[in-house]
C-alpha cells in the first residue's frame, strides 16, 4: 500500500471517529431515571386532577368565589390549553436541529419547586386564559384524553429533549424535558387553586 493511501485511510478513520462522536453528542437523551420520574409525576398529577373534579356538578365547576378569581372549570381549562400547546411545540422542535449553544435558565429541581407550589398568583398568558372552550361537563373527559397523549408521548419520545429549548415567560429558556416536568407540576399548582375554591364558604354544597 502506498504512503498516500495509508495517509488517506488514517484521515478517513479520524473523520469517521469525529462524526461518530458528534452523532453521539447530538443524541443525548433523557436517562431512564429521568423518564421514570417524569412518567410518575404525570400519572400522579393526573390522579390529583381526577380527584379534584370527582363528583362536581356544573354549578360547582363554574362557581367563582369572587371577581377576578378562577373557577374550578377555569383552572382545568387553563391546564388543557397549556398542555396541548406545550406538547405541540415540543413535537415541532424535535423536527429541527438541536441547539447546543443554550443551557436551561433554571434547574430541574427549581422547575418542580417554583411551578408546583402556589406562592403568589401569576397572570397567565392571554392565549392560555380560560375562555369556555369546552362545556364544563366535558372537561374531565378532555383532560383524560389530553394527559394520556402527553403520557404516551413522554414514554416513547426518542428525540433529544435536553438540547431543544422553549422560552418560559417567567423562568427563561427551559429544555423540552423540563417543559414536560413543568406540565405535571402545573397540574399540582392549579389543583391546589381549585381546592381553595372548593373550600371557600360560598361553594355550592
Amino acid at each position: 500500500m502506498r504512503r498516500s493511501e495509508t495517509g488517506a485511510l488514517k484521515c478517513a478513520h479520524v473523520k469517521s471517529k469525529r462524526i461518530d462522536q458528534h452523532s453521539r453528542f447530538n443524541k443525548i437523551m433523557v436517562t431512564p431515571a429521568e423518564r421514570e420520574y417524569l412518567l410518575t409525576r404525570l400519572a400522579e398529577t393526573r390522579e390529583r386532577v381526577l380527584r379534584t373534579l370527582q363528583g362536581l356538578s356544573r354549578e360547582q365547576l363554574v362557581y367563582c368565589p369572587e371577581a377576578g378569581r378562577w373557577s374550578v372549570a377555569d383552572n382545568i381549562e387553563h391546564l388543557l390549553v397549556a398542555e396541548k400547546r406545550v406538547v405541540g411545540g415540543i413535537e415541532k422542535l424535535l423536527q429541527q436541529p438541536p441547539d447546543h449553544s443554550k443551557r436551561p435558565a433554571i434547574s430541574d429541581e427549581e422547575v418542580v419547586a417554583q411551578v408546583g407550589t402556589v406562592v403568589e398568583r401569576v397572570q397567565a398568558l392571554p392565549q392560555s386564559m380560560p375562555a369556555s372552550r369546552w362545556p364544563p361537563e366535558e372537561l374531565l373527559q378532555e383532560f383524560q384524553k389530553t394527559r394520556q397523549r402527553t403520557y404516551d408521548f413522554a414514554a416513547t419520545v426518542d428525540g433529544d429533549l435536553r438540547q431543544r429549548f422553549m422560552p418560559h415567560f417567567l423562568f427563561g429558556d427551559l429544555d423540552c424535558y423540563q417543559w414536560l416536568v413543568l406540565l405535571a407540576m402545573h397540574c399540582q399548582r392549579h389543583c391546589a387553586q381549585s381546592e381553595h375554591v372548593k373550600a371557600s364558604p360560598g361553594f355550592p354544597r
Side-chain angles (χ1 to χ4, degrees):
M1 183 178 292
R2 293 194 300 271
R3 183 177 299 176
S4 60
E5 292 176 340
T6 303
L9 285 173
K10 286 182 178 178
C11 288
H13 176 72
V14 170
K15 184 177 180 182
S16 175
K17 187 175 180 180
R18 287 174 178 168
I19 291 172
D20 184 56
Q21 288 173 339
H22 183 68
S23 176
R24 287 200 298 271
F25 184 63
N26 278 338
K27 296 294 284 183
I28 298 170
M29 306 298 177
V30 297
T31 67
E34 287 172 334
R35 193 187 296 268
E36 183 61 29
Y37 175 84
L38 170 60
L39 294 176
T40 299
R41 297 288 83 78
L42 288 171
E44 287 177 346
T45 53
R46 170 173 52 194
E47 292 308 308
R48 185 168 181 182
V49 171
L50 299 187
R51 290 195 302 272
T52 299
L53 292 175
Q54 186 174 16
L56 295 185
S57 66
R58 182 187 179 92
E59 182 185 13
Q60 291 171 322
L61 285 167
V62 301
Y63 169 78
C64 291
E66 59 188 59
R69 292 277 301 279
W70 286 1
S71 65
V72 174
D74 290 335
N75 277 281
I76 303 305
E77 181 185 349
H78 170 69
L79 289 177
L80 279 167
V81 174
E83 191 149 327
K84 290 172 183 289
R85 288 177 61 86
V86 168
V87 175
I90 293 173
E91 288 175 328
K92 289 180 181 178
L93 276 175
L94 289 173
Q95 297 173 15
Q96 302 173 15
D99 188 345
H100 298 295
S101 67
K102 289 186 178 180
R103 294 292 181 270
I106 61 175
S107 68
D108 296 355
E109 291 76 15
E110 288 174 305
V111 171
V112 172
Q114 295 192 42
V115 179
T117 304
V118 180
V119 177
E120 59 184 50
R121 296 192 184 280
V122 175
Q123 181 65 43
L125 293 174
Q127 59 266 33
S128 62
M129 291 287 284
S132 301
R133 295 171 179 83
W134 297 274
E137 57 272 16
E138 293 181 12
L139 287 170
L140 175 58
Q141 181 180 1
E142 189 65 30
F143 174 79
Q144 288 178 303
K145 181 172 67 176
T146 300
R147 176 48 59 88
Q148 188 62 52
R149 179 173 179 268
T150 301
Y151 186 94
D152 292 343
F153 174 76
T156 59
V157 62
D158 62 357
D160 183 356
L161 298 174
R162 287 297 197 180
Q163 295 295 328
R164 290 174 171 86
F165 298 82
M166 290 192 294
H168 188 278
F169 72 106
L170 285 179
F171 306 131
D173 285 331
L174 301 179
D175 68 45
C176 288
Y177 174 79
Q178 291 179 317
W179 270 104
L180 291 172
V181 172
L182 182 146
L183 290 179
M185 296 301 101
H186 196 217
C187 276
Q188 185 164 296
R189 184 185 188 94
H190 284 280
C191 282
Q193 292 184 13
S194 296
E195 286 155 9
H196 288 152
V197 172
K198 291 168 67 175
S200 62
F203 188 74
R205 306 296 174 184

